[in-house]
C-alpha cells in the first residue's frame, strides 16, 4: 500500500531533549516536506526536499533540522526542543513538487505527529 | 510573499444542501496552483481538488467544484449535496515556485 508513515504518532518530551520524528514513503517520491499545524495558523512549511541531499527552508525553519540521505526517508530533528514547538506535525511527499500536472505533484500526507514539549 | 486567507473560521450546512467555502490569495506570480485539502477528525490531509492557474475552466471532482477568479485572486470551494462525511476542516493552499502556503482553515459542520 502506498503510504507516508510517521513515527512516533504522539510524543511528550521536555525542553532541551533532542528528538527525531521519522518520515518514510514507499512511493519513490522525489519531493518531501514537513509542516506544522497550529490553531488559527493553518499549516506552515518547515523544510522541504526536492531530492536526495537537496533540502531547503520553508516558512518556519528555526529550531528544526532535516536530512535527506535516502530518497524514502526525511527525518525532522529538533536539537533542543522548546515549548513553542508544541504542535501537530505532518510529513508529506509527492512525485514532483506540488502542483505539477498529471497528478505528479499531488502531495500525500502522513498521519501526523502530535508533539508536546513541557 | 504569498498569502492565503480563509475568512470563515466555521461554516455549517444542512445535509443535502450546498455550501461554499471562501479563499483569497495574494501573489505576484503568474504560474501557480491552488488546492483544497480536507482534514477529517483523523487528522490526515486529503486532497479534494486542484486548479492550475493557467486553466480558465473551473476544476470539478464529483460533488466538489471550484470558482476560480484569477483577476480577483479568489478560489472558492462549492460542495453540493453535502453529506455527513464531509464534516471536516478544509484548507485552501497555494503553490508557486516550490513552497506550499496554506490558509488558516474553515471548520465545516454538517447538520443532519
Amino acid at each position: 500500500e502506498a503510504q507516508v508513515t510517521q513515527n512516533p504518532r504522539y510524543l511528550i518530551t521536555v525542553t532541551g531533549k533532542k528528538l527525531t520524528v521519522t518520515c518514510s514513503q514507499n512511493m519513490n517520491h522525489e519531493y518531501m516536506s514537513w509542516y506544522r499545524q497550529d490553531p488559527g495558523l493553518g499549516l506552515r512549511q518547515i523544510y522541504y526536499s526536492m531530492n536526495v541531499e537537496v533540502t531547503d527552508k520553508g516558512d518556519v525553519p528555526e529550531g528544526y533540522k532535516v536530512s535527506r540521505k535516502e530518497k524514502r526517508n526525511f527525518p525532522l530533528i529538533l536539537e533542543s526542543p522548546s515549548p513553542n514547538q508544541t504542535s501537530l506535525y505532518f510529513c508529506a511527499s509527492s512525485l514532483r513538487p506540488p502542483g505539477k500536472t498529471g497528478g505528479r505533484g499531488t502531495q500525500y500526507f502522513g498521519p501526523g505527529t502530535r508533539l508536546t514539549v513541557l | 510573499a504569498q498569502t492565503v486567507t480563509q475568512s470563515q473560521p466555521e461554516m455549517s450546512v444542512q445535509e443535502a444542501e450546498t455550501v461554499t467555502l471562501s479563499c483569497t490569495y495574494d501573489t505576484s506570480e503568474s504560474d501557480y496552483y491552488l488546492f483544497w485539502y480536507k482534514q477529517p477528525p483523523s487528522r490526515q490531509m486529503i486532497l479534494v481538488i486542484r486548479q492550475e492557474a493557467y486553466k480558465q475552466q473551473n476544476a470539478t471532482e464529483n460533488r466538489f467544484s471550484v470558482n476560480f477568479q484569477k483577476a480577483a485572486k479568489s478560489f472558492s470551494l462549492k460542495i453540493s449535496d453535502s453529506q455527513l462525511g464531509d464534516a471536516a476542516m478544509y484548507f485552501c493552499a497555494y503553490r508557486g515556485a516550490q513552497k506550499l502556503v496554506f490558509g488558516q482553515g474553515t471548520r465545516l459542520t454538517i447538520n443532519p
Side-chain angles (χ1 to χ4, degrees):
Chain A
E1 179 189 354
Q3 60 183 349
V4 178
T5 56
Q6 293 178 228
N7 282 292
R9 293 290 311 280
Y10 303 91
L11 179 60
I12 301 175
T13 189
V14 296
T15 298
K17 186 176 181 182
K18 181 180 178 179
L19 67 91
T20 299
V21 183
T22 64
C23 172
S24 182
Q25 50 91 6
N26 61 1
M27 297 169 278
N28 202 36
H29 285 172
E30 291 185 355
Y31 185 95
M32 297 187 74
S33 182
W34 276 103
Y35 302 90
R36 61 177 288 174
Q37 182 179 3
D38 302 290
L41 297 176
L43 279 84
R44 293 177 292 168
Q45 192 175 43
I46 303 171
Y47 269 94
Y48 63 93
S49 170
M50 299 289 280
N51 213 326
V52 176
E53 301 292 1
V54 180
T55 63
D56 208 346
K57 295 177 181 178
D59 292 321
V60 288
E62 294 77 20
Y64 304 94
K65 285 175 57 177
V66 293
S67 69
R68 188 90 181 274
K69 293 184 171 58
E70 308 164 278
K71 201 170 189 178
R72 64 182 293 129
N73 296 324
F74 190 46
L76 179 70
I77 303 156
L78 285 71
E79 293 272 4
S80 183
S82 61
N84 64 12
Q85 292 178 298
T86 292
S87 187
L88 179 61
Y89 291 86
F90 286 98
C91 178
S93 74
S94 55
L95 187 59
R96 298 287 186 267
K100 290 298 182 185
T101 56
R104 290 169 296 168
T106 298
Q107 282 202 114
Y108 295 81
F109 281 78
T113 295
R114 172 72 69 184
L115 173 65
T116 301
V117 183
L118 302 175
Chain B
Q2 294 79 26
T3 58
V4 177
T5 302
Q6 293 177 248
S7 58
Q8 306 154 316
E10 296 182 352
M11 292 280 286
S12 63
V13 64
Q14 286 298 124
E15 193 177 1
E17 297 292 306
T18 295
V19 63
T20 299
L21 308 184
S22 301
C23 173
T24 59
Y25 59 94
D26 187 28
T27 184
S28 57
E29 296 177 307
S30 57
D31 186 21
Y32 53 87
Y33 306 84
L34 297 163
F35 309 86
W36 278 98
Y37 283 91
K38 171 185 176 182
Q39 187 182 47
S42 67
R43 292 292 191 177
Q44 288 204 276
M45 296 289 285
I46 303 166
L47 178 66
V48 174
I49 200 164
R50 179 187 65 201
Q51 174 83 41
E52 291 92 339
Y54 65 86
K55 288 188 177 179
Q56 292 186 339
Q57 186 174 6
N58 289 324
T60 299
E61 289 286 343
N62 301 313
R63 297 183 294 108
F64 298 87
S65 61
V66 299
N67 183 5
F68 174 46
Q69 302 289 327
K70 191 172 183 178
K73 294 181 179 153
S74 170
F75 183 60
S76 61
L77 174 70
K78 185 171 83 171
I79 305 174
S80 304
D81 186 24
S82 299
Q83 301 175 0
L84 295 177
D86 295 333
M89 196 77 167
Y90 285 82
F91 291 96
C92 178
Y94 166 101
R95 185 206 160 226
Q98 287 158 353
K99 298 178 186 179
L100 194 59
V101 180
F102 285 84
Q104 303 91 328
T106 297
R107 183 171 302 282
L108 177 64
T109 302
I110 311 295
N111 300 314

